[in-house]
Amino acid sequence: MTTSAKRRLPSRLLLCVLCLLCFVMGAPAAATASGGIAWSQEELDFMAAHPDIRLGVDPTFVPYEFIDTDGVYKGIAADYIELISKATGLTMTVAKGLTWAQAYEKAVGRELDVLPCVAQTAEREKYFLFSKGYYPFQRVIFINESTRQIKSFDDLKGRRVAVQANSSHHSFLMDYPTISLALFTTAEAALHAVSDGTEIAFVGNLSTSSYLIKKYGITNLRYITISSQEPQQLHFAVRSDWPVLVGILNKALDSIVQEDRIAISNKWISIQADADYSALIQTVLIVGGLVALVWTVSLFWILRLRKEVARRKKAQEEAGAAKTEAEQANQVKSLFLARMSHEIRTPLSAIMGMAYLIKKTELTATQSNYLEKLNQSARNMLGIINDILDFSKIESGKIEIEKISFDLDKLLQRITNIISVKVDDKEIEFFIRKAPEMPTLFLGDPTRIEQILLNLVNNAVKFTEQGNVSLTVQAQPLSDQRFTVTFRVQDTGIGMSEEQAKRLFVPFDQGDSSISRRFGGTGLGLSIVKNLTELMGGQIDVQSELGKGSVFTVQLPLEADPNQMAADSKKMAADCFRNVRALVLDASENTRNMLSDYLRAFSIEHSVTADEADAVQRMRKAALAGNAPYNLLIVDYMTPQDGGIAFLERIRKAMYFPRTAKCMLMVPMTREDLLENITAYGIDFGFPKPIVPSTLYNGIVELFRIDPPKKDGVEAAEETPMAPCPYHILLVEDNKTNQFIAQSILTSAGFTLSVAGNGQEGLDFFLAHREAIDLILMDIHMPVMDGYTATDLIRKEDLTTPIIAMTADAVVGVEEKCRSHGINYYVSKPFEPEAFIHTILEALKGKPCRAQSIPSPERADVTENTATATVEPAAPAEPAPAEPTEEGPEVDSARAMRQLGIDAGLYASILREYLNENAHTGQELQAQIDGGDFAQAAHTVHKVKSSSGSLGATRLATCAERLQKALQENDRESVPAENAQFQRLLATAMQEMQQICDQEP
């Protein structure tokens, strides 16, 4: 070998070693980069046919998956999806703008293909195929740190437990019937409920919950592991008709190396995972000798590269941290506003629903007034939720200020009504002082003014444990019609330091962190107050001293309504109450002064006293002196030594108290039980404190049978809405009883009707008479063709005719699904007639009347006369009640007639239709269940459910709902028991209905 050859040998050897090293260490990367997964031909064909996979995600399942404030899909699942997309070449698109419940429903209906971040449960296996598990999570119990009675999962049995709706934890707890579930839309809401003591425990995901607890600064929770629960796995849930995609996802998941998995975990969860380095160690051992040869050559460059990587990584982390902080701040605000909107809407909906039912009963003038104020307050709050709680609208200047005429006295009365319960709970006094010389009617935005005052008064009551809260209203004239109206809210509460007062109007800030822990709240309200005050051209000021209370002063420029009728109102009041002379007995100076102001405003001659002996002496003197005796005695229950009831009983028997005189009793808010049977003690009228002026006014009107002009919020009862012209409506409904009910309501309101028995008939009829039909009422669940399909086909031909969905389903997502099919409006069964008609009139607003006489569809059981006949109301009559059972009657006929707004004759006609339609329902249902046809059985029960509820068979309707759910879920254990109860209730209800029909000619 030559000298030159010997010199070239080391360099050639080094080059060979380097090439070998690159081959050994680079081969896996090259295989991955080139798509080195061994795909079958079936998998390749599938990916070519379906290049875009639609994903349904949970937008709030942090840190596993969520949508940030910029609309970007992030989290552990998102990082895995990115790696899977690189390995497969598939595009995975997230369907945004959906809640988790909506995404899940769309995936069940195969409108979406994959749910990428779910746990595998038996319930979900009915609809999906599942990939291998790719990430673990632990199910635990969160409790308040002060809770001692819960130490294990067994301690939850027999208790109420919070859980996120539609989560895997929800499905898990459904297997334990002894545990009562409190469903929450988000895990964050459930954690807050446990933190503030509303709920005793929450079952959820350890990592997600820990993330939220840290994020929202919750400090009083601890968790308990569920010993019977091994760590769960997250999976990709794939639509059941795509098994090939499951294999593709499994291969892609297998190709993700351990280092990438660890990096994803460390990125989102601050817990280091143990890595399996066995494969890496084996590789290192094989090529270790080769690496040693080249280490010296590459060390210099490795060190330089590390420094550069470290520098860039640090810069990237700093930029990422700043962006994350901003995103989290926006997310906190968005989540809070969404939660507040939901939390307020839910109880308000219940309040308005119950108020509607009460309105159908016979009410006294006072009860009507209470109910009107309840409705007014609820409607007012619903009207401002979307604008006021959406703080971003205020920030962006999208809130508009109205300028309309409003009655300031009525506004103050509404505030008194709303705040009274909280005041009584705190056992403090609340009173209002309004300058008598100032106007009553103003031009401005009453909704915003009421929101400001309610916020301030609510805060004052919240932070006051003893003493009182007052609202003072004064006006300083600027010109003949313009005033600066000053509202001053003063309390004797905890007060604030100067530093706390400076931060008072900062959004989401409550002065210090202990405030939210002790008193709750969000810190958003006062920021809204300040913004609204400034939008109306006013200003707000606060003066406070720690431990002594606070004074909030709001000054607003308002213009008086030129149509003031103050003088005439006083004259009318004086005319109405000229023969009333009152004596007030109350130990509270504030209450006496307030009552005196009210009676003076009503022009009622009166005296006030704090002592019962003095009250007796005054009545005796008036009687002996021959003066006009007191004919109205108003007594506080707590003032007389032996109670107001015993005192008034004695006075009733006294010779000096006229027989025609009236007695009124004021009771504490927490003792409304005292108002039951008060007439047995000779007491004519009772009402709770704190006093509402209109209640006192209406009580006196009722007692003395005075017919005064309408004032102080007392308005004429609303009449049933009527159609302005005979609009032609197509009713598509398979249930004959529901057909009859809808016809009765709508024809009485002046509409013209045609009826179709299923979606196919409705579609055919509409296409044949579209020019004459003004609106379609579409049932959702029908045989032959359902409402969704019929609507889709109608919308292909016509985009303008309003369609209103009718369904008894009350599940999340139904209304949204209706809109996605082109259905403009949505009403629930059983119908509330006024709301039903209002919805139809709203849908027809601005539509010219073009109703023509057209026949109903060609069906043996639906005739033109039935569809278009006008129902003439018969003389009101109450049917004789059915023979009661031990549990009471199954059919509440009186309630049904009130709710439907019909008389006994028409009600009996509807019952006969129901009896004819369901004569064989029990036998048909039993045969369907015995034959295993649960789908048809569920449809049979669904038809009975809505019509039974409308006709007063509430227990039957509730049982039908449970049985329908059991049938739909194929719950073979529950179906027999639920069916047995359904059959019993159906037979009893039909027997009672027959008795009612027999008694009505």
Side-chain angles (χ1 to χ4, degrees):
M1 186 178 291
T2 63
T3 304
S4 60
K6 290 179 179 180
R7 288 173 180 166
R8 289 196 298 271
L9 183 59
S11 60
R12 289 178 179 176
L13 180 60
L14 180 61
L15 180 61
C16 291
V17 169
L18 288 170
C19 291
L20 179 61
L21 178 63
C22 292
F23 175 79
V24 173
M25 300 188 68
T32 301
S34 61
I37 300 174
W39 304 113
S40 68
Q41 187 59 47
E42 184 182 19
E43 289 168 340
L44 291 172
D45 292 342
F46 181 92
M47 289 188 284
H50 305 91
D52 193 347
I53 305 300
R54 301 168 298 176
L55 304 180
V57 305
D58 186 342
T60 61
F61 191 26
V62 290
Y64 298 100
E65 65 173 0
F66 60 96
I67 305 294
D68 71 5
T69 52
D70 294 330
V72 179
Y73 177 52
K74 292 183 176 181
I76 292 170
D79 288 353
Y80 271 88
I81 289 169
E82 183 178 356
L83 295 176
I84 290 172
S85 295
K86 290 180 181 178
T88 61
L90 294 173
T91 300
M92 297 195 174
T93 305
V94 173
K96 297 181 180 178
L98 302 176
T99 63
W100 169 240
Q102 293 166 344
Y104 185 85
E105 182 181 353
K106 286 183 178 290
V108 169
R110 297 181 180 174
E111 297 177 48
L112 298 175
D113 306 318
V114 175
L115 301 175
C117 190
V118 296
Q120 186 172 355
T121 66
E123 174 64 23
R124 290 171 177 172
E125 287 173 352
K126 299 175 185 177
Y127 309 105
F128 303 105
L129 302 173
F130 288 83
S131 72
K132 296 178 179 178
Y134 66 91
Y135 198 87
F137 71 89
Q138 181 68 50
R139 179 179 290 127
V140 298
I141 306 166
F142 279 87
I143 60 175
N144 196 295
E145 61 184 11
S146 63
T147 301
R148 295 290 178 264
Q149 61 268 43
I150 296 178
K151 299 179 181 178
S152 68
F153 180 78
D154 288 339
D155 294 332
L156 298 181
K157 295 175 182 178
R159 300 180 185 273
R160 172 186 166 104
V161 176
V163 67
Q164 184 179 9
N166 296 318
S167 66
S168 64
H169 317 293
H170 183 188
S171 301
F172 165 71
L173 291 175
M174 290 286 285
D175 294 334
Y176 297 87
T178 60
I179 298 177
S180 175
L181 302 185
L183 300 181
F184 287 78
T185 304
T186 64
E188 179 239 335
L191 288 167
H192 277 290
V194 176
S195 175
D196 62 25
T198 306
E199 302 294 343
I200 194 170
F202 165 67
V203 173
N205 181 297
L206 174 60
S207 298
T208 298
S209 301
S210 299
Y211 179 94
L212 293 170
I213 287 170
K214 181 179 179 181
K215 179 175 182 178
Y216 294 106
I218 303 174
T219 59
N220 63 339
L221 298 183
R222 58 189 177 93
Y223 73 87
I224 301 171
T225 57
I226 302 177
S227 58
S228 62
Q229 283 282 297
E230 293 294 328
Q232 308 294 301
Q233 290 283 331
L234 294 176
H235 303 260
F236 286 79
V238 180
R239 50 190 291 180
S240 58
D241 59 336
W242 281 7
V244 178
L245 181 57
V246 177
I248 294 171
L249 293 174
N250 285 337
K251 288 183 178 180
L253 287 170
D254 288 342
S255 73
I256 299 175
V257 297
Q258 188 71 4
E259 288 81 3
D260 287 341
R261 293 175 182 267
I262 294 170
I264 293 173
S265 181
N266 290 341
K267 175 181 177 182
W268 294 104
I269 298 179
S270 302
I271 301 174
Q272 295 295 329
D274 294 330
D276 181 8
Y277 290 102
S278 58
L280 181 59
I281 292 172
Q282 185 179 2
T283 304
V284 170
L285 290 175
I286 294 173
V287 300
L290 298 175
V291 171
L293 293 175
V294 299
W295 180 252
T296 304
V297 177
S298 59
L299 181 60
F300 171 76
W301 295 105
I302 290 174
L303 291 174
R304 290 198 61 178
L305 284 172
R306 282 183 176 177
K307 290 180 180 179
E308 180 65 18
V309 168
R311 186 185 67 80
R312 294 188 180 184
K313 186 176 180 180
K314 182 178 180 181
Q316 185 178 5
E317 287 177 351
E318 290 176 350
K323 185 174 185 294
T324 300
E325 185 177 354
E327 289 173 349
Q328 289 178 345
N330 282 330
Q331 190 176 15
V332 168
K333 182 177 72 175
S334 299
L335 288 174
F336 163 75
L337 294 175
R339 175 189 174 204
M340 287 299 295
S341 178
H342 171 76
E343 293 298 328
I344 295 177
R345 284 176 183 275
T346 301
L348 280 179
S349 297
I351 290 169
M352 296 182 72
M354 293 304 297
Y356 176 83
L357 295 178
I358 295 172
K359 185 179 178 182
K360 292 294 183 181
T361 65
E362 294 182 4
L363 302 173
T364 64
T366 300
Q367 291 169 330
S368 296
N369 186 260
Y370 273 136
L371 190 61
E372 175 58 31
K373 293 191 178 300
L374 177 67
N375 264 322
Q376 193 175 29
S377 298
R379 287 195 300 267
N380 188 41
M381 290 183 74
L382 277 176
I384 64 177
I385 283 173
N386 290 333
D387 289 340
I388 298 302
L389 290 183
D390 189 354
F391 184 67
S392 61
K393 283 188 177 181
I394 298 178
E395 288 181 320
S396 59
K398 293 182 180 179
I399 294 292
E400 296 182 359
I401 301 299
E402 288 187 314
K403 188 176 181 180
I404 61 174
S405 177
F406 69 95
D407 190 324
L408 182 58
D409 287 349
K410 293 180 182 179
L411 186 151
L412 296 176
Q413 289 170 14
R414 287 197 300 271
I415 292 173
T416 302
N417 294 339
I418 294 169
I419 203 67
S420 58
V421 176
K422 290 185 178 180
V423 170
D424 191 77
D425 287 343
K426 299 294 282 289
E427 295 185 352
I428 59 177
E429 282 193 288
F430 171 66
F431 50 91
I432 295 176
R433 292 283 184 268
K434 176 176 173 286
E437 68 277 4
M438 66 179 291
T440 299
L441 300 180
F442 286 92
L443 300 177
D445 193 328
T447 299
R448 306 304 178 198
I449 295 173
E450 184 173 333
Q451 178 68 16
I452 290 171
L453 297 180
L454 272 176
N455 225 311
L456 295 178
V457 173
N458 264 317
N459 275 351
V461 173
K462 180 195 298 185
F463 297 119
T464 301
E465 296 299 330
Q466 57 184 2
N468 59 70
V469 174
S470 64
L471 170 58
T472 305
V473 186
Q474 296 175 322
Q476 181 180 355
L478 300 176
S479 63
D480 289 343
Q481 295 296 328
R482 294 188 59 80
F483 294 81
T484 297
V485 180
T486 301
F487 302 92
R488 183 173 290 105
V489 178
Q490 185 169 1
D491 65 68
T492 57
I494 63 174
M496 292 174 288
S497 66
E498 184 177 351
E499 180 61 27
Q500 289 171 337
K502 288 180 181 178
R503 307 206 317 266
L504 197 60
F505 298 108
V506 178
F508 306 100
D509 195 332
Q510 289 193 319
D512 66 62
S513 59
S514 67
I515 297 296
S516 60
R517 291 197 299 270
R518 292 171 58 196
F519 298 98
T522 63
L524 183 62
L526 289 177
S527 176
I528 291 175
V529 166
K530 185 175 188 296
N531 277 277
L532 290 177
T533 300
E534 292 174 351
L535 283 172
M536 287 188 281
Q539 60 184 22
I540 183 170
D541 177 62
V542 59
Q543 295 178 345
S544 186
E545 186 175 349
L546 199 60
K548 294 187 177 181
S550 305
V551 179
F552 286 83
T553 303
V554 175
Q555 292 183 312
L556 296 175
L558 294 176
E559 182 179 345
D561 189 329
N563 300 317
Q564 297 284 339
M565 298 291 290
D568 290 342
S569 296
K570 289 181 180 179
K571 181 177 182 298
M572 287 188 293
D575 291 340
C576 292
F577 299 117
R578 60 180 177 272
N579 296 321
V580 179
R581 187 165 183 239
L583 176 62
V584 175
L585 172 59
D586 196 305
S588 168
E589 182 180 0
N590 283 327
T591 303
R592 291 198 307 274
N593 292 339
M594 199 175 301
L595 278 170
S596 183
D597 290 343
Y598 297 159
L599 294 171
R600 189 178 301 111
F602 303 155
S603 298
I604 292 178
E605 184 181 351
H606 64 280
S607 301
V608 297
T609 181
D611 182 72
E612 61 178 296
D614 182 54
V616 172
Q617 188 64 25
R618 286 172 182 262
M619 286 186 285
R620 283 177 176 164
K621 284 184 178 181
L624 294 173
N627 298 332
Y630 293 107
N631 57 356
L632 174 61
L633 183 57
I634 305 173
V635 177
D636 171 49
Y637 176 80
M638 302 298 292
T639 298
Q641 187 173 0
D642 54 351
I645 293 177
F647 176 78
L648 287 173
E649 275 193 293
R650 292 198 308 272
I651 295 300
R652 270 292 185 198
K653 298 174 182 177
M655 297 296 295
Y656 50 80
F657 193 70
R659 290 185 178 181
T660 57
K662 306 297 180 181
C663 297
M664 303 180 77
L665 179 68
M666 301 179 291
V667 302
M669 179 63 72
T670 55
R671 295 299 313 275
E672 291 191 68
D673 57 295
L674 295 170
L675 300 179
E676 298 179 6
N677 302 319
I678 59 172
T679 54
Y681 300 104
I683 302 171
D684 302 286
F685 189 82
F687 55 91
K689 300 171 70 175
I691 302 158
V692 179
S694 57
T695 303
L696 179 63
Y697 178 91
N698 291 328
I700 298 172
V701 167
E702 182 179 330
L703 292 181
F704 290 93
R705 302 185 181 278
I706 298 171
D707 186 18
K710 301 300 180 185
K711 68 183 291 288
D712 290 339
V714 182
E715 299 174 0
E718 294 183 12
E719 296 182 358
T720 302
M722 296 292 294
C725 61
Y727 288 114
H728 200 112
I729 295 176
L730 171 60
L731 172 64
V732 187
E733 164 70 65
D734 66 314
N735 186 298
K736 294 179 182 178
T737 305
N738 284 338
Q739 290 176 4
F740 203 161
I741 292 172
Q743 288 173 9
S744 302
I745 294 171
L746 296 177
T747 53
S748 296
F751 294 98
T752 303
L753 238 67
S754 293
V755 180
N758 59 59
Q760 184 64 59
E761 289 183 4
L763 172 64
D764 295 342
F765 188 78
F766 175 78
L767 295 178
H769 306 92
R770 71 173 68 181
E771 295 302 323
I773 294 175
D774 296 295
L775 180 140
I776 302 172
L777 292 172
M778 182 73 71
D779 186 27
I780 297 301
H781 301 287
M782 293 179 289
V784 184
M785 181 184 290
D786 63 42
Y788 292 130
T789 304
T791 299
D792 290 339
L793 296 173
I794 288 173
R795 284 295 180 232
K796 289 182 179 179
E797 304 293 332
D798 183 289
L799 296 175
T800 59
T801 300
I803 301 178
I804 299 177
M806 304 185 301
T807 180
D809 289 341
V811 297
V812 175
V814 171
E815 188 169 359
E816 290 75 10
K817 187 174 181 179
C818 288
R819 291 199 179 98
S820 70
H821 286 272
I823 299 176
N824 312 83
Y825 297 87
Y826 171 97
V827 294
S828 297
K829 301 174 186 175
F831 302 121
E832 292 184 357
E834 291 181 7
F836 185 36
I837 296 170
H838 276 301
T839 301
I840 294 174
L841 293 177
E842 175 67 22
L844 291 169
K845 186 181 294 183
K847 191 177 184 68
C849 187
R850 60 178 184 178
Q852 304 173 20
S853 177
I854 58 175
S856 287
E858 293 296 330
R859 299 175 66 238
D861 54 352
V862 179
T863 65
E864 180 179 356
N865 292 335
T866 301
T868 59
T870 301
V871 180
E872 294 292 340
E878 288 283 342
E883 191 68 27
T885 65
E886 291 183 1
E887 300 178 352
E890 290 298 337
V891 181
D892 189 344
S893 57
R895 179 178 179 276
M897 286 188 287
R898 287 195 302 269
Q899 185 165 333
L900 293 172
I902 59 178
D903 60 19
L906 183 53
Y907 178 66
S909 298
I910 298 175
L911 290 184
R912 294 186 184 99
E913 186 67 38
Y914 180 94
L915 292 170
N916 291 335
E917 185 175 18
N918 292 290
H920 305 291
T921 295
Q923 299 93 313
E924 292 172 358
L925 175 63
Q926 190 64 56
Q928 292 161 355
I929 292 176
D930 292 343
D933 191 355
F934 280 17
Q936 185 59 39
H939 178 72
T940 300
V941 175
H942 176 83
K943 290 178 64 176
V944 176
K945 178 176 66 175
S946 60
S947 55
S948 300
S950 298
L951 295 177
T954 308
R955 280 186 291 212
L956 175 59
T958 302
C959 180
E961 185 172 2
R962 292 197 307 270
L963 178 55
Q964 181 186 350
K965 182 180 179 182
L967 289 166
Q968 290 172 337
E969 295 178 353
N970 201 30
D971 186 355
R972 296 184 179 273
E973 293 184 3
S974 302
V975 165
E978 294 292 353
N979 178 46
Q981 185 178 11
F982 175 84
Q983 296 281 2
R984 179 180 66 81
L985 292 174
L986 177 61
T988 304
M990 292 183 68
Q991 182 180 5
E992 293 180 8
M993 290 178 183
Q994 186 62 58
Q995 292 174 358
I996 294 172
C997 292
D998 292 344
Q999 294 164 359
E1000 185 66 30

